[in-house]
Amino acid sequence: MRADLALVGFGNVGRRFARLLDERRDWLALDYDLDCRIAGISTKRHGWIHDPAGVDAATAAGRIEAGEPLSDTDGGDGSFEIIRRLSESAADLKVVVETTVLDINAGQPAIDYVRAALQAGCHAVTANKGPAAFAYEELDALAIDRGVSFLFEGAVMDGVPIFNLVRETLPAVDILGFRGVINSTTNHILSALEDGESFDSALARMQEAGIAEADPSLDVDGWDAAAKTAALANVLMRARTTPQAVEREGIGHGTARLAMAARSHDARIRLVASARRTAAGVVTSVRPVEL
Amino acid sequence: MRADLALVGFGNVGRRFARLLDERRDWLALDYDLDCRIAGISTKRHGWIHDPAGVDAATAAGRIEAGEPLSDTDGGDGSFEIIRRLSESAADLKVVVETTVLDINAGQPAIDYVRAALQAGCHAVTANKGPAAFAYEELDALAIDRGVSFLFEGAVMDGVPIFNLVRETLPAVDILGFRGVINSTTNHILSALEDGESFDSALARMQEAGIAEADPSLDVDGWDAAAKTAALANVLMRARTTPQAVEREGIGHGTARLAMAARSHDARIRLVASARRTAAGVVTSVRPVEL
């Protein structure tokens, strides 16, 4: 069975995905009878490329790393064009793999990419929290209407199944709430603060290690956790919320004192995300909590 | 869609299941278009009953609680007979729900019941660890051959999805090992020992609370954990093991000293079940470990 894919976004996640697809080629053929072909790649700053016979992702990654645009196009965003072309493919399976960076203000342009994919009759898989955090209800309904899948398991808790956990293994369960740590940068910073490291030094280490978001406020002000909380609440509890509606308090220089004080009586400060169903709707929050 | 069920075993689990089925009647009709009917109930000591028009489970439970046999039969085990009759039902869905007690020597007669159900073309759902711990490979192959389901999610970790977690949400993942606490009686006893309670007193409390198995050696000698470990290893790692092949060490009076000693340096003793894939096959164990 032939599957044609369009990669919208081609940063670390998109490139690693393309490599995995290549490494697992034999396994996909054997276990799933799948012959996957990357028909197009689009980027924000490095142009786009499309070839119905298949694009070589390793060559594309090499061009970007060398500072060259992907093709002879003008370097603009060809995402909608490669989605349009994918929809005309004769493949049995057409999948748009969306891996652009989260926009915390409105989840764009990821929502528009996913919407365009679903409208064109392609399955949409996104690693971006935006679509589920800002527009789950609309996109889920659209996918059902077009008979395609809208999937986003990797958007929250990376490789750990959480959306599928509920969807596939707990069909008879009504989720009344959830509570947990869902941002790793702040979690590492809080541990470092307990050990006496300064906030700035701990954050700098997280950035060097590639764990922190490029914009640190997404992590330390709780925006990343709020986007994940909104996505979880929308999907698992049918809330209709957004990251902006999540009650949110981040961590900062002042948290060091709190973390050390908690440590002194055997407790810990963690940035806890939570949601619970109330008579007034689903109430969500992200805030430092002593545990 | 009509579903006819046979309940093989009718203790606490079987009776609670029958009540749930009744409480959720409207919801099953609405969400799943399912009209479930209990066509037969068999017990080890209280006889059996079958009625193609449906058996009233509440009445049956009342008779057993009053010390009366389920019907005018001789009180013998009618499990195979009700499975045979279920297989002749005209229902769209035929399901044998097996909830007998674990036999740690060979997993019988649960394996025979499940085998008979599958061979007769009925789906088999069991809450008993035996079938997966002793005969997973055979029963799984038989179910596939007959085009029916062999399910046992409730056998390990009760309501928490573990078999389905792997099957439904991690299809691309190869499980190399697992490690965890899977017996609650010993876990409660170990906590009590840390608090200075005696082993006998802690065990007696667990038995009164209905948490401990009727035969305490199933818990404290690690047999329950070994059966769960074998089931997990067989299903998740395609091992071909049995509870007897699990390296096993339980807890006893001597564990109190260990638990208190661990506590004194901020550690805990837990009965840890583990499995790992090695070149020589899957190695499994259940033993007290300092964590």
Short mmCIF file of all heavy atoms in Angstrom, two decimals, chain A residues 1-6 8 83 86-87 91-98 113-126 143-144 146-151:
data_model
loop_
_atom_site.label_atom_id
_atom_site.label_comp_id
_atom_site.label_asym_id
_atom_site.label_seq_id
_atom_site.Cartn_x
_atom_site.Cartn_y
_atom_site.Cartn_z
N MET A 1 0.85 -1.19 0.00
CA MET A 1 0.00 0.00 0.00
C MET A 1 0.89 1.24 0.00
O MET A 1 1.77 1.37 0.85
CB MET A 1 -0.88 -0.01 1.26
CG MET A 1 -1.94 1.04 1.24
SD MET A 1 -3.27 0.68 2.43
CE MET A 1 -2.46 1.11 3.97
N ARG A 2 0.64 2.14 -0.95
CA ARG A 2 1.51 3.31 -1.01
C ARG A 2 0.96 4.46 -0.17
O ARG A 2 -0.24 4.75 -0.22
CB ARG A 2 1.66 3.77 -2.46
CG ARG A 2 2.87 4.67 -2.65
CD ARG A 2 3.01 5.10 -4.09
NE ARG A 2 2.56 6.47 -4.25
CZ ARG A 2 2.08 6.95 -5.38
NH1 ARG A 2 1.94 6.17 -6.44
NH2 ARG A 2 1.74 8.21 -5.46
N ALA A 3 1.83 5.06 0.62
CA ALA A 3 1.45 6.22 1.42
C ALA A 3 2.31 7.40 0.99
O ALA A 3 3.53 7.31 0.97
CB ALA A 3 1.67 5.94 2.90
N ASP A 4 1.63 8.50 0.62
CA ASP A 4 2.37 9.72 0.29
C ASP A 4 2.24 10.71 1.44
O ASP A 4 1.15 10.92 1.97
CB ASP A 4 1.82 10.34 -1.01
CG ASP A 4 2.45 9.71 -2.25
OD1 ASP A 4 3.16 8.70 -2.09
OD2 ASP A 4 2.21 10.22 -3.36
N LEU A 5 3.37 11.29 1.82
CA LEU A 5 3.38 12.21 2.96
C LEU A 5 3.85 13.58 2.52
O LEU A 5 4.73 13.71 1.66
CB LEU A 5 4.36 11.70 4.02
CG LEU A 5 3.93 10.57 4.94
CD1 LEU A 5 3.85 9.25 4.18
CD2 LEU A 5 4.93 10.42 6.09
N ALA A 6 3.27 14.60 3.16
CA ALA A 6 3.82 15.95 3.04
C ALA A 6 4.29 16.37 4.41
O ALA A 6 3.57 16.24 5.39
CB ALA A 6 2.75 16.92 2.52
N VAL A 8 5.09 19.33 6.68
CA VAL A 8 4.92 20.77 6.85
C VAL A 8 5.70 21.16 8.11
O VAL A 8 5.32 20.79 9.22
CB VAL A 8 3.43 21.13 6.98
CG1 VAL A 8 3.27 22.61 7.34
CG2 VAL A 8 2.70 20.81 5.67
N ILE A 83 0.16 20.75 0.24
CA ILE A 83 -1.04 20.04 0.70
C ILE A 83 -2.00 19.85 -0.48
O ILE A 83 -2.56 18.77 -0.69
CB ILE A 83 -1.73 20.81 1.85
CG1 ILE A 83 -0.86 20.75 3.11
CG2 ILE A 83 -3.13 20.24 2.12
CD1 ILE A 83 -1.32 21.65 4.25
N LEU A 86 -0.59 17.16 -2.65
CA LEU A 86 -0.73 15.85 -2.01
C LEU A 86 -2.14 15.32 -2.20
O LEU A 86 -2.34 14.12 -2.46
CB LEU A 86 -0.42 15.94 -0.50
CG LEU A 86 -0.53 14.61 0.26
CD1 LEU A 86 0.60 13.67 -0.11
CD2 LEU A 86 -0.53 14.84 1.77
N SER A 87 -3.12 16.22 -2.10
CA SER A 87 -4.52 15.78 -2.21
C SER A 87 -4.81 15.20 -3.59
O SER A 87 -5.77 14.46 -3.77
CB SER A 87 -5.47 16.94 -1.90
OG SER A 87 -5.49 17.85 -2.99
N ALA A 91 -1.91 8.02 -4.22
CA ALA A 91 -1.54 7.08 -3.16
C ALA A 91 -2.77 6.59 -2.40
O ALA A 91 -3.80 7.26 -2.36
CB ALA A 91 -0.56 7.75 -2.20
N ASP A 92 -2.65 5.41 -1.78
CA ASP A 92 -3.76 4.86 -0.99
C ASP A 92 -3.98 5.67 0.27
O ASP A 92 -5.08 5.74 0.80
CB ASP A 92 -3.44 3.41 -0.59
CG ASP A 92 -3.12 2.55 -1.79
OD1 ASP A 92 -4.05 2.25 -2.55
OD2 ASP A 92 -1.93 2.20 -1.97
N LEU A 93 -2.89 6.24 0.77
CA LEU A 93 -2.93 6.92 2.06
C LEU A 93 -2.21 8.26 1.86
O LEU A 93 -1.09 8.29 1.37
CB LEU A 93 -2.17 6.06 3.08
CG LEU A 93 -2.45 6.19 4.55
CD1 LEU A 93 -3.90 5.83 4.86
CD2 LEU A 93 -1.52 5.25 5.31
N LYS A 94 -2.89 9.34 2.25
CA LYS A 94 -2.26 10.66 2.11
C LYS A 94 -2.22 11.32 3.48
O LYS A 94 -3.25 11.50 4.11
CB LYS A 94 -3.08 11.52 1.15
CG LYS A 94 -3.13 10.92 -0.25
CD LYS A 94 -4.04 11.72 -1.16
CE LYS A 94 -5.15 10.85 -1.68
NZ LYS A 94 -5.99 11.53 -2.69
N VAL A 95 -1.01 11.65 3.91
CA VAL A 95 -0.84 12.13 5.28
C VAL A 95 -0.02 13.41 5.31
O VAL A 95 1.09 13.45 4.76
CB VAL A 95 -0.12 11.06 6.15
CG1 VAL A 95 -0.07 11.51 7.60
CG2 VAL A 95 -0.79 9.70 6.02
N VAL A 96 -0.56 14.43 5.98
CA VAL A 96 0.21 15.65 6.22
C VAL A 96 0.78 15.55 7.63
O VAL A 96 0.04 15.37 8.59
CB VAL A 96 -0.68 16.90 6.08
CG1 VAL A 96 0.09 18.15 6.52
CG2 VAL A 96 -1.17 17.05 4.64
N VAL A 97 2.11 15.64 7.72
CA VAL A 97 2.78 15.57 9.01
C VAL A 97 3.25 16.98 9.38
O VAL A 97 4.18 17.52 8.78
CB VAL A 97 3.98 14.58 8.95
CG1 VAL A 97 4.72 14.54 10.28
CG2 VAL A 97 3.50 13.19 8.56
N GLU A 98 2.57 17.55 10.37
CA GLU A 98 2.77 18.96 10.71
C GLU A 98 3.65 19.05 11.94
O GLU A 98 3.31 18.52 12.99
CB GLU A 98 1.40 19.58 10.95
CG GLU A 98 1.29 21.07 10.76
CD GLU A 98 1.77 21.85 11.97
OE1 GLU A 98 1.85 21.28 13.07
OE2 GLU A 98 2.09 23.04 11.81
N TYR A 113 -2.89 24.91 8.62
CA TYR A 113 -2.30 23.78 7.89
C TYR A 113 -3.13 22.51 8.11
O TYR A 113 -3.44 21.78 7.17
CB TYR A 113 -0.86 23.51 8.36
CG TYR A 113 0.13 24.61 8.08
CD1 TYR A 113 1.24 24.81 8.91
CD2 TYR A 113 0.01 25.45 6.96
CE1 TYR A 113 2.18 25.80 8.66
CE2 TYR A 113 0.94 26.45 6.71
CZ TYR A 113 2.01 26.62 7.56
OH TYR A 113 2.94 27.61 7.31
N VAL A 114 -3.46 22.25 9.38
CA VAL A 114 -4.21 21.03 9.68
C VAL A 114 -5.60 21.11 9.02
O VAL A 114 -6.08 20.14 8.43
CB VAL A 114 -4.34 20.84 11.21
CG1 VAL A 114 -5.36 19.74 11.54
CG2 VAL A 114 -2.98 20.50 11.81
N ARG A 115 -6.24 22.27 9.11
CA ARG A 115 -7.56 22.43 8.51
C ARG A 115 -7.50 22.19 7.00
O ARG A 115 -8.33 21.46 6.44
CB ARG A 115 -8.11 23.83 8.79
CG ARG A 115 -9.56 23.99 8.33
CD ARG A 115 -10.03 25.44 8.44
NE ARG A 115 -10.17 25.90 9.80
CZ ARG A 115 -9.49 26.92 10.33
NH1 ARG A 115 -8.60 27.59 9.61
NH2 ARG A 115 -9.69 27.28 11.58
N ALA A 116 -6.47 22.76 6.35
CA ALA A 116 -6.33 22.58 4.90
C ALA A 116 -6.13 21.11 4.56
O ALA A 116 -6.70 20.59 3.59
CB ALA A 116 -5.15 23.41 4.39
N ALA A 117 -5.33 20.41 5.38
CA ALA A 117 -5.08 18.99 5.13
C ALA A 117 -6.38 18.19 5.23
O ALA A 117 -6.71 17.40 4.34
CB ALA A 117 -4.06 18.45 6.14
N LEU A 118 -7.13 18.40 6.30
CA LEU A 118 -8.36 17.64 6.51
C LEU A 118 -9.38 17.97 5.41
O LEU A 118 -10.04 17.07 4.87
CB LEU A 118 -8.95 17.96 7.89
CG LEU A 118 -8.05 17.62 9.10
CD1 LEU A 118 -8.69 18.14 10.40
CD2 LEU A 118 -7.80 16.12 9.21
N GLN A 119 -9.51 19.25 5.10
CA GLN A 119 -10.45 19.65 4.06
C GLN A 119 -10.11 19.00 2.72
O GLN A 119 -10.99 18.68 1.93
CB GLN A 119 -10.49 21.17 3.91
CG GLN A 119 -11.52 21.80 4.84
CD GLN A 119 -11.43 23.32 4.90
OE1 GLN A 119 -10.43 23.90 4.46
NE2 GLN A 119 -12.46 23.94 5.46
N ALA A 120 -8.80 18.81 2.49
CA ALA A 120 -8.37 18.20 1.23
C ALA A 120 -8.45 16.68 1.27
O ALA A 120 -8.01 16.00 0.36
CB ALA A 120 -6.94 18.65 0.92
N GLY A 121 -8.97 16.13 2.38
CA GLY A 121 -9.14 14.68 2.47
C GLY A 121 -7.87 13.94 2.84
O GLY A 121 -7.76 12.73 2.62
N CYS A 122 -6.90 14.65 3.42
CA CYS A 122 -5.67 14.00 3.88
C CYS A 122 -5.75 13.81 5.40
O CYS A 122 -6.33 14.62 6.10
CB CYS A 122 -4.46 14.88 3.57
SG CYS A 122 -4.27 15.28 1.82
N HIS A 123 -5.14 12.74 5.88
CA HIS A 123 -4.99 12.59 7.32
C HIS A 123 -4.00 13.67 7.80
O HIS A 123 -3.07 14.02 7.06
CB HIS A 123 -4.43 11.22 7.67
CG HIS A 123 -5.28 10.09 7.19
ND1 HIS A 123 -6.48 9.76 7.76
CD2 HIS A 123 -5.12 9.23 6.15
CE1 HIS A 123 -7.02 8.72 7.12
NE2 HIS A 123 -6.21 8.39 6.13
N ALA A 124 -4.22 14.17 9.02
CA ALA A 124 -3.30 15.17 9.56
C ALA A 124 -2.75 14.66 10.88
O ALA A 124 -3.50 14.29 11.78
CB ALA A 124 -4.02 16.49 9.76
N VAL A 125 -1.41 14.63 10.97
CA VAL A 125 -0.74 14.25 12.21
C VAL A 125 0.13 15.43 12.61
O VAL A 125 0.97 15.87 11.82
CB VAL A 125 0.16 13.01 12.01
CG1 VAL A 125 0.82 12.62 13.33
CG2 VAL A 125 -0.63 11.85 11.44
N THR A 126 -0.07 15.96 13.82
CA THR A 126 0.73 17.10 14.22
C THR A 126 1.43 16.86 15.55
O THR A 126 0.89 16.20 16.44
CB THR A 126 -0.11 18.40 14.29
OG1 THR A 126 0.73 19.47 14.74
CG2 THR A 126 -1.29 18.27 15.24
N ALA A 143 -12.53 16.37 10.69
CA ALA A 143 -11.91 15.09 10.35
C ALA A 143 -12.99 14.00 10.22
O ALA A 143 -12.97 13.20 9.28
CB ALA A 143 -10.88 14.69 11.40
N ILE A 144 -13.92 13.98 11.16
CA ILE A 144 -14.99 12.98 11.12
C ILE A 144 -15.81 13.17 9.84
O ILE A 144 -16.12 12.22 9.12
CB ILE A 144 -15.88 13.09 12.38
CG1 ILE A 144 -15.08 12.62 13.60
CG2 ILE A 144 -17.16 12.28 12.22
CD1 ILE A 144 -15.73 12.94 14.93
N ARG A 146 -14.89 14.41 7.01
CA ARG A 146 -14.17 14.02 5.80
C ARG A 146 -13.70 12.57 5.83
O ARG A 146 -13.05 12.10 4.89
CB ARG A 146 -12.96 14.94 5.56
CG ARG A 146 -13.31 16.40 5.39
CD ARG A 146 -14.27 16.61 4.21
NE ARG A 146 -15.05 17.85 4.37
CZ ARG A 146 -14.76 19.00 3.81
NH1 ARG A 146 -13.74 19.10 3.00
NH2 ARG A 146 -15.51 20.06 4.02
N GLY A 147 -13.94 11.89 6.93
CA GLY A 147 -13.54 10.48 7.02
C GLY A 147 -12.04 10.27 7.10
O GLY A 147 -11.51 9.26 6.62
N VAL A 148 -11.34 11.24 7.68
CA VAL A 148 -9.88 11.11 7.84
C VAL A 148 -9.53 11.26 9.32
O VAL A 148 -10.37 11.59 10.14
CB VAL A 148 -9.12 12.15 6.99
CG1 VAL A 148 -9.29 11.85 5.51
CG2 VAL A 148 -9.60 13.57 7.31
N SER A 149 -8.26 11.03 9.65
CA SER A 149 -7.82 11.11 11.04
C SER A 149 -7.13 12.43 11.34
O SER A 149 -6.38 12.95 10.52
CB SER A 149 -6.85 9.98 11.36
OG SER A 149 -7.48 8.73 11.25
N PHE A 150 -7.39 12.93 12.55
CA PHE A 150 -6.68 14.11 13.08
C PHE A 150 -5.98 13.62 14.33
O PHE A 150 -6.61 13.34 15.34
CB PHE A 150 -7.70 15.21 13.38
CG PHE A 150 -7.20 16.33 14.25
CD1 PHE A 150 -5.93 16.88 14.07
CD2 PHE A 150 -8.00 16.87 15.25
CE1 PHE A 150 -5.48 17.91 14.88
CE2 PHE A 150 -7.56 17.91 16.06
CZ PHE A 150 -6.30 18.43 15.88
N LEU A 151 -4.65 13.46 14.25
CA LEU A 151 -3.90 12.83 15.34
C LEU A 151 -2.81 13.76 15.86
O LEU A 151 -2.22 14.53 15.10
CB LEU A 151 -3.29 11.52 14.85
CG LEU A 151 -4.31 10.47 14.36
CD1 LEU A 151 -3.61 9.30 13.69
CD2 LEU A 151 -5.16 9.98 15.52
#
